[in-house]
Each structure stands twice: as C-alpha cells, then as structure tokens.
Amino acid sequence: MTDPRDFVAHEAALLDERRLDDWLALFAEDGHYWVPLLGAAQADPFSHNSLAYEDRLLLQLRVDRLKNPRAHSQHPASHSQHVLQPSRIEREESDEAWLRTPFLYVEARGEDQILLSGTARHHLVRTSTGWLIREKRIDLLNAPRALPAIQLFI
C-alpha cells in the first residue's frame, strides 16, 4: 500500500482484529507508541508523565502479555473498535509522512465498555517493504481526566 492514509486504516483494522503480532510488525525498530498524559498540550514524553511511552521492546512485552492465556486482565478478553475519520496528511517529505486522524475508540470486556475520543498522529517512514511507524501518538480529547484501565492499544 503506497498511500499512508490506507496504512493508518490498515493499522487500526489489525488492532480491531486482535492481530497483535501483525500490528507490532508495522513499527520501525526505533518506533514508539505514545499517549501523553496532557494530550495535545504535551510537547514531549520527557518533561511530563505519559499514560504510555513504549518502544518496540515494551510493545512486544505488552503484546506477549495480552496473548498469554494466563493474563488475568483478559478473562474475558478485551475487544476494540476504532472508528476513524479520514486521515489528513499534514506533511510529507521524500520517505516520511506525518498524518492526523480523529477517532472514536471503543474497548469492550465482558459487560463493560469504554469510549474514548481524540486524535491519532502517525509519523511514518517509507522502507523498501512499505510504510512503518516511527511514532504513533494518541492525543485523547479529555486526557487529564481519570481514565479506566485501557487494556489494548488505542
């Protein structure tokens, strides 16, 4: 897939299908998944706490935990649904693209369901095999409020 907007939709579909290994393979070796505690107001992951700031190793550990049949938090299993507005390319250079995608995210587990909204920001790099994620940043709409435990990836 050559259009980075299609890549973003594909990435969300992999999460909703719980194809976590395939999703993880979309990250570059130096890729990061970041959910700032202050949402869009937070300039970087180092000057303030984050809900998540995970490199490829931490993402792999989380994926392994979610797939483990003994993971208590996954009895019953969590499921997600990403509802994406069309992605907008904010900037594109030779082998990089920065996209912004407003979303609604629903995570359900048993009888419980949470709804989050915000904007996903992807920094993608083009490789010989296609696009990879250098950074996926999730700016939640009302980030500073108390949040329930989010089990999966937004």
Side-chain angles (χ1 to χ4, degrees):
M1 95 190 53
T2 59
D3 191 323
R5 293 169 289 210
D6 293 337
F7 178 91
V8 170
H10 173 69
E11 183 235 355
L14 290 177
L15 287 170
D16 292 343
E17 295 165 8
R18 284 190 67 111
R19 293 174 49 195
L20 299 176
D21 289 319
D22 294 336
W23 173 77
L24 184 61
L26 299 179
F27 278 81
E29 285 303 314
D30 62 346
H32 284 85
Y33 172 80
W34 180 29
V35 185
L37 183 62
L38 302 178
Q42 190 166 333
D44 64 70
F46 308 110
S47 61
H48 201 282
N49 291 334
S50 296
L51 295 171
Y53 184 66
E54 300 173 358
D55 62 11
R56 200 111 196 301
L57 175 62
L58 288 175
L59 290 173
Q60 180 68 63
L61 292 172
R62 243 174 103 186
V63 165
D64 291 346
R65 181 187 63 81
L66 287 167
K67 293 180 353 187
N68 188 318
R70 294 183 300 174
H72 176 72
S73 69
Q74 291 305 291
H75 291 281
S78 300
H79 300 280
S80 67
Q81 180 67 56
H82 291 77
V83 181
L84 307 178
Q85 288 187 18
S87 296
R88 187 176 79 215
I89 298 173
E90 293 190 314
R91 190 168 112 216
E92 195 166 7
E93 294 176 6
S94 59
D95 288 330
E96 296 183 80
W98 290 261
L99 293 92
R100 172 188 170 102
T101 310
F103 68 86
L104 293 174
Y105 172 79
V106 180
E107 186 174 296
R109 181 174 167 251
E111 298 297 316
D112 297 325
Q113 183 170 292
I114 61 172
L115 172 67
L116 301 171
S117 62
T119 301
R121 297 174 187 273
H122 288 78
H123 175 191
L124 305 179
V125 292
R126 189 188 327 260
T127 68
S128 60
T129 59
W131 293 105
L132 291 177
I133 300 169
R134 168 117 346 115
E135 180 176 82
K136 179 179 181 182
R137 173 183 173 144
I138 301 294
D139 291 328
L140 294 173
L141 182 62
N142 194 7
R145 72 179 168 96
L147 294 170
I150 302 166
Q151 295 296 319
L152 302 177
F153 300 97
I154 300 172

